Amino acid sequence: MIVVQKYGGSSVGSTEKIAAVAKRIAGRAKEAQVVVVVSAMGDTTDEMISMAKALCAVPDEREMDKLLSTGEQASSALMAMALQELGQKAVSLTGGQAGIITERIQGRARILKIDGKRLKDELNKGNVVVVAGFQGITENASWADITTLGRGGSDTTAVALAAALNADKCEIYTDVDGVFTADPRIVPDAVKIDTISYEEMLEMAGQGARVMHSRAVELGQLYDVDILVANSAKAVPGTIITKEDPKMEVRNPVRGIAHDTDVTRFTVVAIPDQPGVAAKLFHAPAQANINVDVIVQNVSSEGCADISFTVADVDFEKAKKAIEPVVDELHAKDLLIDQTLAKVSIVGSGMRSNPGYADKMFQALASEGINILSIATSEIRITCLIEREKVKQAVRALHKVFELEKV
Ligand code: ADP
Ligand code: ASP
Ligand code: MG
């Protein structure tokens, strides 16, 4: 039996915590071949980003990846040492050594393939293999560079390895008991969900529920890997992310509330309302590999329209650089940038066949005096853009209105 386990940053935040986690792993290694994926210790990644930004306003992306990948390399080596100290054979590997090949996109590379040979050899030698999360290497061996998979990407490393090794279990250990109906740090009576579909988890993660990296969920769905999310410090049942169960129909059609404060809104004021304008505008961020969300175009007047859209704060500088020349070229009147907003979303596959959820959501926000700036929907999600300072109030109000504490 092969088990892939991932331990997040707070679960390996000190040498004491590493030693405690090593004990759990060694116990598991008595009954299975274990691959462990670790994140960087505690706030290491944030601290390294601050150091880089103290030296230059926009750090070079290649050097940034090389720097950030060391956080996970350190924790993986320490974890291997802690296991060896317990008498458990262990070896640590960087992402590249573990055969994780990615595209050459710094800072958010996608995994192209995994060559599992070294991993299998090390497992067959009786080792627990500790892989540095959140990183890979580009393909060209003589010109290879270290890449990272994006913030929170160690989850993706774990699910990708589980798929590549055809593992029997994929377990993501973190600092909460599982996936909750909302961030338990914001909603005290949020309830742990026992089973959630890939689709719902993908929407939750995509809209800010950072307990899972959304690309990890995507890979789980693609390769049919059931993912357990559970607490690294407690032996309590977690949440299983798996295929939609038809029996799930009877439950609350809304499964959870997600929120995201990592939002920058761009508004392009008064651009010509003509065919090809939106195509030109959105080509620029797409070329720069920037995800664009909540796109709104208002009704045109005098042949011009305003188009607004959001990007993640981390992409702000890059997006601005990509968009400004197009805004000039299209002779737009202005480019407005707003970093005081947040997104709040309700998610649930049951909403697909039940009308009235948008109405209920908007009423709930209205009764809290929260203004909705724009709205975006999918079949199973409704997202509202609101003022950032009201986001916690919004999450709590929606959790209550949709009776999620009763799940
Ligand atoms: P790790 O370091 O283990 O990867 P993260 O900090 O990335 O952990 O993710 C865990 C955190 O996600 C929790 O501490 C919690 O505050 C937050 N979170 C946000 N939404 C949810 C949710 N719906 N369920 C559980 N946790 C959530
Ligand atoms: N250390 C990285 C981060 O903080 C990756 C991860 O923890 O998953 O984003
Ligand atoms: Mg995480």
Side-chain angles (χ1 to χ4, degrees):
M1 178 160 84
I2 300 180
V3 178
V4 177
Q5 299 191 325
K6 177 254 172 178
Y7 292 90
S10 50
S11 308
V12 294
S14 64
T15 48
E16 289 77 18
K17 285 188 176 174
I18 291 178
V21 166
K23 264 193 199 157
R24 286 178 68 131
I25 297 168
R28 198 62 181 273
K30 290 195 170 66
E31 63 199 37
Q33 293 189 309
V34 184
V35 174
V36 174
V37 175
V38 282
S39 287
M41 293 171 71
D43 298 327
T44 308
T45 309
D46 288 331
E47 283 159 14
M48 286 192 292
I49 293 173
S50 304
M51 281 195 276
K53 290 203 165 153
L55 291 170
C56 45
V58 187
D60 179 79
E61 291 182 325
R62 179 189 177 276
E63 303 309 327
M64 196 65 161
D65 272 2
K66 182 139 177 292
L67 174 68
L68 297 189
S69 66
T70 63
E72 272 70 9
Q73 290 176 21
S75 57
S76 60
L78 290 168
M79 182 62 82
M81 291 177 202
L83 285 161
Q84 289 161 359
E85 185 63 15
L86 295 171
Q88 170 62 53
K89 280 182 77 179
V91 62
S92 70
L93 300 176
T94 65
Q97 287 175 311
I100 300 174
I101 308 295
T102 75
E103 10 168 61
R104 186 178 284 279
I105 292 178
Q106 305 291 162
R108 63 165 52 151
R110 277 174 308 186
I111 297 172
L112 294 174
K113 62 178 178 200
I114 296 180
D115 176 357
K117 189 176 173 311
R118 173 88 187 260
L119 276 167
K120 283 183 194 146
D121 282 355
E122 298 290 2
L123 285 173
N124 290 337
K125 282 192 232 160
N127 284 307
V128 166
V129 187
V130 189
V131 180
F134 155 75
Q135 60 188 272
I137 197 159
T138 57
E139 193 148 28
N140 189 334
S142 59
W143 203 254
D145 278 316
I146 295 174
T147 49
T148 64
L149 310 182
R151 296 304 307 268
S154 298
D155 299 335
T156 298
T157 305
V159 179
L161 290 179
L165 294 169
N166 204 4
D168 301 274
K169 301 246 179 239
C170 179
E171 304 169 345
I172 307 289
Y173 290 103
T174 183
D175 59 357
V176 287
D177 290 351
V179 179
F180 283 70
T181 48
D183 188 340
R185 296 186 198 286
I186 289 187
V187 182
D189 56 2
V191 178
K192 197 204 76 200
I193 299 169
D194 293 334
T195 312
I196 187 165
S197 68
Y198 293 117
E199 232 188 336
E200 289 170 323
M201 191 65 230
L202 207 51
E203 294 280 13
M204 291 278 286
Q207 293 305 319
R210 71 165 199 278
V211 63
M212 275 301 289
H213 196 227
S214 52
R215 273 171 33 219
V217 186
E218 224 166 66
L219 281 179
Q221 183 169 31
L222 197 60
Y223 292 98
D224 214 357
V225 178
D226 284 358
I227 305 166
L228 169 75
V229 182
N231 197 315
S232 63
K234 288 195 237 164
V236 291
T239 300
I240 302 278
I241 307 169
T242 185
K243 279 202 276 287
E244 175 102 44
D245 175 356
K247 278 187 285 184
M248 287 179 184
E249 240 192 2
V250 283
R251 43 130 231 248
N252 192 335
V254 178
R255 294 310 306 285
I257 315 292
H259 72 283
D260 197 352
T261 52
D262 184 15
V263 176
T264 296
R265 181 176 65 172
F266 287 89
T267 305
V268 187
V269 182
I271 46 171
D273 191 10
Q274 285 164 6
V277 164
K280 210 168 231 172
L281 186 62
F282 290 107
H283 184 64
Q287 285 295 97
N289 275 301
I290 295 165
N291 272 331
V292 170
D293 196 16
V294 196
I295 301 171
V296 179
Q297 173 168 348
N298 70 359
V299 180
S300 70
S301 67
E302 292 163 20
C304 283
D306 300 344
I307 295 184
S308 70
F309 56 91
T310 62
V311 301
D313 282 340
V314 283
D315 289 330
F316 161 62
E317 296 281 358
K318 235 169 124 183
K320 187 162 171 267
K321 222 167 135 190
I323 291 156
E324 272 172 346
V326 191
V327 169
D328 282 347
E329 190 193 328
L330 294 172
H331 304 295
K333 205 162 153 201
D334 208 352
L335 176 65
L336 308 176
I337 295 165
D338 193 339
Q339 295 195 295
T340 64
L341 307 177
K343 290 187 282 187
V344 64
S345 308
I346 61 171
V347 172
S349 54
M351 289 177 358
R352 203 178 343 232
S353 47
N354 288 290
Y357 286 90
D359 175 37
K360 200 166 171 181
M361 180 179 192
F362 303 158
Q363 298 282 355
L365 294 176
S367 65
E368 294 287 319
I370 297 171
N371 193 24
I372 301 170
L373 299 159
S374 11
I375 299 156
T377 60
S378 82
E379 265 196 309
I380 65 163
R381 165 176 63 87
I382 304 168
T383 297
C384 293
L385 199 63
I386 61 170
E387 268 176 68
R388 196 174 292 183
E389 61 181 31
K390 296 210 167 148
V391 73
K392 288 186 183 171
Q393 187 190 345
V395 174
R396 290 182 191 127
L398 292 170
H399 199 270
K400 196 154 186 213
V401 161
F402 289 104
E403 301 187 327
L404 289 169
E405 75 284 356
K406 292 184 189 158
V407 163

